[in-house]
Amino acid sequence: MSNVELALWSFPVMLGLIFLRMPIGLAMLVVGVVGNFLITKSWNPSLALFKSLPYSTFSSYSLSVVPLFLLMGQFASLGGLSKQLFDAAASWLGHRRGGVAMAAIGACAGFGAICGSSLATAATMGQIALPELRKHGYSGALATGTLAAGGTLGILIPPSVILIIFAILTELNIAKLFVAAIVPGLLAAIGYIIAIAIAVRVRPGSAGAPYPRVPYLERFRRLASIWPVLLIFFLVIGGIYFGWFTPTEAAAIGAAGTAVIAFLRRGLSRASFIDAMLQTAKATAMIFLIILGAAALNNFLALSQLPQAAVNLVIEQGLDPWAVLIVMLVFYLVLGCFMDSLSMILLTVPIFYPIVTALDFGLPPAEFGLWFGILVLIVVEVGLITPPVGMNLFVINSMSKGTSMGQTFVGVTPFLISDIVRTIILVAFPAISLFLVQWLY
Amino acid sequence: MDNSVVGRAVFWLARSTAIGGGVALSVVVVIVVVSVIGRALIPLGLGPIQGDFEMVQAGVLFAVFAFMPWCHLERGHAIVAIVTDRFSPRFGALAEFIWDLLMLVAAALVAWRLWAGLFDKYGNGESTFILRVPLWITYSGGLVGALVFVVAAAYCVVRSGQNAASRAPTKPISGMGE
């Protein structure tokens, strides 16, 4: 068996192990080390590699942004900002039909602007918005579907941990990727609100009573009360964009800012601080095990020369670039039904990215990378709300007593349709993702 | 968490290590903020902290290693349970036992090689670029978490082994992190 064939076979083997419940990061690591052995016929290269690989991965300055953004999200949850975001959104949207659910989406979008993680957004907003939705008589299906989908805005609206990892893998500029994600992220929020508006008209029973209409003066007053969110968002994103500080520094400043807010609002006790540390620990370790596994795997793949072989194959075959892109996006959607977004990105981007950059989509290479990044971000995030194992669905469902998993699956359907429609629009019109970057740079 | 003396001790150790890592991360936040403010106030005669990059790297290295045991103990790693959940609880329990065993091997490999790396750096006297901190010291920071990870992984092997061998094994529940 040639090395390229060996690398090709390693994928079904690895997926088999993963589906047998093997931790994904561990599966990548084991396949990487064993694959390396099968190519070099010796364990020594791996032993030498592991002298430095965990050290250099865990002490990487560019990756240090990940735990800092996770910490920022934890502090943001403690600050009570979610309640204010919800009140502000409710004053603008709450009087409409399905308005309480729309307000929940609006609040999720606001929280997504200071939180780079999807589950943290879903869980934090769920605590505030689920009781409101149920109190107003919304069906369990629509309530849980709304919040599960709204949670994905945590990642779709920058800052976003997934985008950071994508930027590191592809050596793209993080600031530009964040800027490129802003408009598609807002489109996602608008698309979800439209999905609610349609869903409550198709099934009038699912929506409950709206809020009373709020006068405009009060609306602006409530909007003004969320200024800390806007300040931190502009400090973090603007700071990276204007080059005031590195992404790592921006994340640290964001973490400090949200910590100060949590402290001032008395959300920061000894117990809640320790809890925030332990949550950050769990999320960080999960991500870094996958990153370490992916590093070992990619060492093996590079040795096997599979990525180059794949590029050559696609070019020789003269495949239609758009067909290749669509197959990849559909692949992400299918895989996303079973696997978490970060694992998918780390597993596929080292292979897929060289292939798509070798194809001609009529875009300059730098801009193409940004566009592809946004598309991948969106399709892997859909995986968080697709049955059977969308993690957001489980988090929100466990918070809503008396709602079955089946009802949640039904409730999320309008949002899935909205996701698909948005993906098609963004594929067809790259300018939606790119014009802000072109305009600002 | 089980209530045996060993179980409680391992949990306490992993939890304390994780909190220690979290505190290190918080210290990193403070260092960065002070350094950025100092850099912004250069006209007033202040300046950034010398070697702040290196402090961030060392702090995050310590923290990430320190987070590993807690995550594993809490079954926080990303897994796909959809297939094994369709079989009997014993099947899932057995799978968890095997992967816990492999995780112990991986944890031991990482700790052992980190130790070897530390030894290399001790021998050649390499140090960080600006602060001139010997690299074996930053390696030692990582080794703390790596060693606790081995202890926690060994405990998990016993935990899942007992479960898999018991008369009525329980289905392992994943408490996936973020």
Side-chain angles (χ1 to χ4, degrees), chain A residues 58-72:
Chain A
F58 294 176
S59 68
S60 147
Y61 185 80
S62 46
L63 281 174
S64 64
V65 66
V66 172
L68 293 171
F69 267 131
L70 292 171
L71 192 64
M72 173 178 167

Side-chain angles (χ1 to χ4, degrees), chain B residues 79-169:
Chain B
I79 56 142
V80 177
I82 182 161
V83 179
T84 50
D85 279 359
R86 300 201 173 251
F87 294 95
S88 68
R90 190 180 300 281
F91 186 79
L94 208 61
E96 189 187 42
F97 170 64
I98 295 168
W99 305 138
D100 275 356
L101 209 60
L102 214 53
M103 188 71 94
L104 175 62
V105 174
L109 172 80
V110 167
W112 170 44
R113 297 322 293 167
L114 194 69
W115 168 251
L118 187 158
F119 207 70
D120 281 0
K121 301 297 172 195
Y122 189 79
N124 65 19
E126 230 179 290
S127 61
T128 64
F129 194 65
I130 293 172
L131 296 175
R132 297 273 161 222
V133 177
L135 277 185
W136 68 267
I137 292 183
T138 56
Y139 268 77
S140 314
L143 200 61
V144 175
L147 290 176
V148 178
F149 188 24
V150 175
V151 173
Y155 171 77
C156 286
V157 170
V158 176
R159 179 175 70 180
S160 55
Q162 278 175 346
N163 182 34
S166 71
R167 234 167 240 281

Side-chain angles (χ1 to χ4, degrees), chain A residues 17-24 26 30 47 50-51 54-55 58-59 61 64 67-68 71 74 117 119-120 244-245 249 252-253 256 273-274 277-278 281-286 288-290 338 340 388-389 391, chain B residues 15 18-19 22 25-26 29 32-33 36 39 53 56-57 60-61 64-65 67-68 70-71 74 76-80 82-84 95 99 102-103 106 109 112-113 116-117 120 135 138-139 172 175-178:
Chain A
L17 292 172
I18 288 170
F19 276 90
L20 284 171
R21 214 183 177 288
M22 188 167 182
I24 296 174
L26 183 63
V30 168
L47 291 180
F50 271 77
K51 264 190 195 176
Y55 181 89
F58 294 176
S59 68
Y61 185 80
S64 64
L68 293 171
L71 192 64
Q74 285 299 327
S117 136
L119 284 186
W244 296 338
F245 22 77
E249 288 169 343
I253 287 167
F273 178 78
I274 287 180
M277 292 303 124
L278 292 176
K282 214 156 101 173
T284 304
M286 181 197 113
F288 274 80
L289 182 72
I290 298 173
F338 308 101
D340 70 283
V389 292
M391 275 202 279
Chain B
R15 195 168 176 274
I19 294 172
L25 201 59
S26 306
V29 168
V32 170
V33 171
V36 167
R39 197 170 64 202
F53 268 51
V56 170
Q57 287 182 305
V60 171
L61 173 85
V64 173
F65 268 113
F67 291 160
M68 286 290 163
W70 179 248
C71 180
E74 288 276 282
H77 286 301
I79 56 142
V80 177
I82 182 161
V83 179
T84 50
W99 305 138
L102 214 53
M103 188 71 94
L109 172 80
W112 170 44
R113 297 322 293 167
D120 281 0
L135 277 185
T138 56
Y139 268 77
M176 265 194 256
E178 286 292 306

Side-chain angles (χ1 to χ4, degrees), chain A residues 15-150:
Chain A
L15 283 179
L17 292 172
I18 288 170
F19 276 90
L20 284 171
R21 214 183 177 288
M22 188 167 182
I24 296 174
L26 183 63
M28 291 178 173
L29 193 147
V30 168
V31 169
V33 169
V34 173
N36 190 312
F37 170 78
L38 291 176
I39 287 182
T40 60
K41 309 279 186 278
S42 157
W43 294 109
N44 288 335
S46 284
L47 291 180
L49 181 70
F50 271 77
K51 264 190 195 176
S52 57
L53 189 70
Y55 181 89
S56 60
T57 310
F58 294 176
S59 68
S60 147
Y61 185 80
S62 46
L63 281 174
S64 64
V65 66
V66 172
L68 293 171
F69 267 131
L70 292 171
L71 192 64
M72 173 178 167
Q74 285 299 327
F75 285 142
S77 308
L78 296 177
L81 291 168
S82 41
K83 173 88 177 95
Q84 258 167 332
L85 282 166
F86 184 79
D87 286 345
S91 69
W92 288 87
L93 296 163
H95 56 279
R96 292 166 197 279
R97 207 197 281 186
V100 185
M102 292 176 182
I105 293 292
C108 284
F111 198 75
I114 52 168
C115 181
S117 136
S118 176
L119 284 186
T121 304
T124 308
M125 289 314 309
Q127 283 167 3
I128 301 293
L130 269 181
E132 288 290 318
L133 285 161
R134 298 318 297 270
K135 203 167 74 192
H136 284 78
Y138 277 71
S139 72
L142 183 61
T144 51
T146 300
L147 282 159

